PDB file of all heavy atoms in Angstrom:
ATOM      1  N   GLU A   1      94.059 -16.525  54.494  1.00 75.00           N
ATOM      2  CA  GLU A   1      92.646 -16.239  54.236  1.00 75.00           C
ATOM      3  C   GLU A   1      92.524 -15.552  52.855  1.00 75.00           C
ATOM      4  O   GLU A   1      93.244 -14.626  52.564  1.00 75.00           O
ATOM      5  CB  GLU A   1      92.124 -15.321  55.327  1.00 75.00           C
ATOM      6  CG  GLU A   1      90.650 -15.071  55.257  1.00 75.00           C
ATOM      7  CD  GLU A   1      90.145 -14.237  56.439  1.00 75.00           C
ATOM      8  OE1 GLU A   1      90.763 -14.275  57.514  1.00 75.00           O
ATOM      9  OE2 GLU A   1      89.159 -13.537  56.266  1.00 75.00           O
ATOM     10  N   GLU A   3      91.490 -13.119  49.899  1.00 88.00           N
ATOM     11  CA  GLU A   3      91.148 -11.696  49.930  1.00 88.00           C
ATOM     12  C   GLU A   3      91.004 -11.166  48.521  1.00 88.00           C
ATOM     13  O   GLU A   3      91.494 -11.755  47.556  1.00 88.00           O
ATOM     14  CB  GLU A   3      92.227 -10.917  50.691  1.00 88.00           C
ATOM     15  CG  GLU A   3      93.607 -11.041  50.116  1.00 88.00           C
ATOM     16  CD  GLU A   3      94.671 -10.302  50.924  1.00 88.00           C
ATOM     17  OE1 GLU A   3      94.406  -9.963  52.097  1.00 88.00           O
ATOM     18  OE2 GLU A   3      95.754 -10.064  50.372  1.00 88.00           O
ATOM     19  N   GLN A   6      93.436  -5.418  44.532  1.00 95.00           N
ATOM     20  CA  GLN A   6      93.191  -4.389  43.534  1.00 95.00           C
ATOM     21  C   GLN A   6      94.516  -3.773  43.094  1.00 95.00           C
ATOM     22  O   GLN A   6      95.418  -3.575  43.920  1.00 95.00           O
ATOM     23  CB  GLN A   6      92.292  -3.280  44.087  1.00 95.00           C
ATOM     24  CG  GLN A   6      90.856  -3.680  44.295  1.00 95.00           C
ATOM     25  CD  GLN A   6      89.990  -2.555  44.735  1.00 95.00           C
ATOM     26  OE1 GLN A   6      89.442  -2.538  45.840  1.00 95.00           O
ATOM     27  NE2 GLN A   6      89.829  -1.553  43.862  1.00 95.00           N
ATOM     28  N   PRO A   8      96.045  -0.574  40.187  1.00 96.00           N
ATOM     29  CA  PRO A   8      97.100  -0.158  41.107  1.00 96.00           C
ATOM     30  C   PRO A   8      96.512   0.382  42.394  1.00 96.00           C
ATOM     31  O   PRO A   8      95.301   0.539  42.516  1.00 96.00           O
ATOM     32  CB  PRO A   8      97.789   0.969  40.318  1.00 96.00           C
ATOM     33  CG  PRO A   8      96.679   1.582  39.536  1.00 96.00           C
ATOM     34  CD  PRO A   8      95.765   0.444  39.160  1.00 96.00           C
ATOM     35  N   LEU A  21      90.864   0.108  36.017  1.00 98.00           N
ATOM     36  CA  LEU A  21      91.144  -0.330  37.373  1.00 98.00           C
ATOM     37  C   LEU A  21      90.922  -1.826  37.444  1.00 98.00           C
ATOM     38  O   LEU A  21      89.901  -2.327  36.952  1.00 98.00           O
ATOM     39  CB  LEU A  21      90.232   0.403  38.370  1.00 98.00           C
ATOM     40  CG  LEU A  21      90.192   1.934  38.246  1.00 98.00           C
ATOM     41  CD1 LEU A  21      89.319   2.525  39.342  1.00 98.00           C
ATOM     42  CD2 LEU A  21      91.567   2.547  38.243  1.00 98.00           C
ATOM     43  N   CYS A  23      90.855  -5.636  39.476  1.00 97.00           N
ATOM     44  CA  CYS A  23      90.488  -6.321  40.726  1.00 97.00           C
ATOM     45  C   CYS A  23      90.585  -7.824  40.495  1.00 97.00           C
ATOM     46  O   CYS A  23      90.243  -8.312  39.407  1.00 97.00           O
ATOM     47  CB  CYS A  23      89.040  -5.911  41.084  1.00 97.00           C
ATOM     48  SG  CYS A  23      88.282  -6.884  42.394  1.00 97.00           S
ATOM     49  N   VAL A  43      80.391   5.890  50.824  1.00 91.00           N
ATOM     50  CA  VAL A  43      80.698   4.884  49.813  1.00 91.00           C
ATOM     51  C   VAL A  43      79.464   4.697  48.947  1.00 91.00           C
ATOM     52  O   VAL A  43      78.355   4.455  49.454  1.00 91.00           O
ATOM     53  CB  VAL A  43      81.088   3.554  50.479  1.00 91.00           C
ATOM     54  CG1 VAL A  43      81.347   2.479  49.433  1.00 91.00           C
ATOM     55  CG2 VAL A  43      82.299   3.726  51.386  1.00 91.00           C
ATOM     56  N   PHE A  45      77.535   2.916  45.563  1.00 94.00           N
ATOM     57  CA  PHE A  45      77.468   1.782  44.658  1.00 94.00           C
ATOM     58  C   PHE A  45      77.568   2.249  43.213  1.00 94.00           C
ATOM     59  O   PHE A  45      76.945   3.226  42.822  1.00 94.00           O
ATOM     60  CB  PHE A  45      76.160   1.041  44.899  1.00 94.00           C
ATOM     61  CG  PHE A  45      75.815   0.010  43.878  1.00 94.00           C
ATOM     62  CD1 PHE A  45      76.458  -1.216  43.869  1.00 94.00           C
ATOM     63  CD2 PHE A  45      74.841   0.244  42.932  1.00 94.00           C
ATOM     64  CE1 PHE A  45      76.130  -2.184  42.912  1.00 94.00           C
ATOM     65  CE2 PHE A  45      74.493  -0.714  41.989  1.00 94.00           C
ATOM     66  CZ  PHE A  45      75.151  -1.935  41.985  1.00 94.00           C
ATOM     67  N   SER A  48      76.971  -3.894  39.858  1.00 93.00           N
ATOM     68  CA  SER A  48      77.162  -5.272  40.233  1.00 93.00           C
ATOM     69  C   SER A  48      77.152  -6.143  38.996  1.00 93.00           C
ATOM     70  O   SER A  48      76.553  -5.788  37.979  1.00 93.00           O
ATOM     71  CB  SER A  48      76.099  -5.722  41.235  1.00 93.00           C
ATOM     72  OG  SER A  48      74.810  -5.601  40.681  1.00 93.00           O
ATOM     73  N   GLU A  53      77.396 -10.645  33.247  1.00 93.00           N
ATOM     74  CA  GLU A  53      76.677  -9.464  32.808  1.00 93.00           C
ATOM     75  C   GLU A  53      76.352  -8.568  33.983  1.00 93.00           C
ATOM     76  O   GLU A  53      76.348  -9.021  35.134  1.00 93.00           O
ATOM     77  CB  GLU A  53      75.411  -9.840  32.048  1.00 93.00           C
ATOM     78  CG  GLU A  53      74.406 -10.654  32.847  1.00 93.00           C
ATOM     79  CD  GLU A  53      73.207 -11.063  31.984  1.00 93.00           C
ATOM     80  OE1 GLU A  53      73.331 -11.140  30.747  1.00 93.00           O
ATOM     81  OE2 GLU A  53      72.138 -11.278  32.573  1.00 93.00           O
ATOM     82  N   ASP A  63      77.511   6.020  30.529  1.00 95.00           N
ATOM     83  CA  ASP A  63      78.173   5.413  29.372  1.00 95.00           C
ATOM     84  C   ASP A  63      79.687   5.530  29.389  1.00 95.00           C
ATOM     85  O   ASP A  63      80.374   4.883  28.583  1.00 95.00           O
ATOM     86  CB  ASP A  63      77.661   6.087  28.085  1.00 95.00           C
ATOM     87  CG  ASP A  63      76.212   5.734  27.815  1.00 95.00           C
ATOM     88  OD1 ASP A  63      75.714   4.766  28.442  1.00 95.00           O
ATOM     89  OD2 ASP A  63      75.568   6.434  27.020  1.00 95.00           O
ATOM     90  N   VAL A  67      82.408  -2.411  32.647  1.00 97.00           N
ATOM     91  CA  VAL A  67      83.057  -3.451  33.457  1.00 97.00           C
ATOM     92  C   VAL A  67      83.214  -4.691  32.595  1.00 97.00           C
ATOM     93  O   VAL A  67      82.463  -4.917  31.635  1.00 97.00           O
ATOM     94  CB  VAL A  67      82.276  -3.805  34.749  1.00 97.00           C
ATOM     95  CG1 VAL A  67      82.366  -2.677  35.751  1.00 97.00           C
ATOM     96  CG2 VAL A  67      80.841  -4.159  34.424  1.00 97.00           C
ATOM     97  N   ASP A  71      88.944 -12.780  31.882  1.00 86.00           N
ATOM     98  CA  ASP A  71      89.657 -14.048  31.885  1.00 86.00           C
ATOM     99  C   ASP A  71      89.237 -14.966  33.020  1.00 86.00           C
ATOM    100  O   ASP A  71      89.973 -15.873  33.357  1.00 86.00           O
ATOM    101  CB  ASP A  71      91.158 -13.815  31.921  1.00 86.00           C
ATOM    102  CG  ASP A  71      91.542 -12.955  33.148  1.00 86.00           C
ATOM    103  OD1 ASP A  71      90.701 -12.773  34.037  1.00 86.00           O
ATOM    104  OD2 ASP A  71      92.684 -12.478  33.191  1.00 86.00           O
ATOM    105  N   GLY A  72      88.119 -14.738  33.634  1.00 80.00           N
ATOM    106  CA  GLY A  72      87.665 -15.590  34.712  1.00 80.00           C
ATOM    107  C   GLY A  72      88.275 -15.331  36.058  1.00 80.00           C
ATOM    108  O   GLY A  72      87.884 -15.952  37.045  1.00 80.00           O
ATOM    109  N   PHE A  75      88.550  -8.680  37.277  1.00 96.00           N
ATOM    110  CA  PHE A  75      87.307  -7.936  37.114  1.00 96.00           C
ATOM    111  C   PHE A  75      87.716  -6.473  36.981  1.00 96.00           C
ATOM    112  O   PHE A  75      88.347  -5.915  37.870  1.00 96.00           O
ATOM    113  CB  PHE A  75      86.394  -8.166  38.322  1.00 96.00           C
ATOM    114  CG  PHE A  75      85.098  -7.427  38.298  1.00 96.00           C
ATOM    115  CD1 PHE A  75      84.256  -7.496  37.213  1.00 96.00           C
ATOM    116  CD2 PHE A  75      84.686  -6.673  39.400  1.00 96.00           C
ATOM    117  CE1 PHE A  75      83.039  -6.833  37.196  1.00 96.00           C
ATOM    118  CE2 PHE A  75      83.478  -6.007  39.401  1.00 96.00           C
ATOM    119  CZ  PHE A  75      82.655  -6.078  38.299  1.00 96.00           C
ATOM    120  N   LEU A  84      87.362  15.435  36.135  1.00 97.00           N
ATOM    121  CA  LEU A  84      87.911  15.787  37.453  1.00 97.00           C
ATOM    122  C   LEU A  84      87.103  15.136  38.577  1.00 97.00           C
ATOM    123  O   LEU A  84      87.658  14.688  39.569  1.00 97.00           O
ATOM    124  CB  LEU A  84      87.922  17.308  37.631  1.00 97.00           C
ATOM    125  CG  LEU A  84      88.835  18.109  36.725  1.00 97.00           C
ATOM    126  CD1 LEU A  84      88.661  19.602  36.959  1.00 97.00           C
ATOM    127  CD2 LEU A  84      90.279  17.705  36.900  1.00 97.00           C
ATOM    128  N   GLY A 108      91.193  -0.985  47.648  1.00 94.00           N
ATOM    129  CA  GLY A 108      90.868   0.244  46.917  1.00 94.00           C
ATOM    130  C   GLY A 108      91.971   0.730  46.008  1.00 94.00           C
ATOM    131  O   GLY A 108      93.151   0.442  46.193  1.00 94.00           O
TER     132      GLY A 108
END
Side-chain angles (χ1 to χ4, degrees):
Chain A
E1 186 175 333
E3 59 183 17
Q6 289 185 244
L21 310 183
C23 167
V43 177
F45 168 75
S48 60
E53 60 183 25
D63 291 344
V67 290
D71 56 13
F75 179 52
L84 295 177

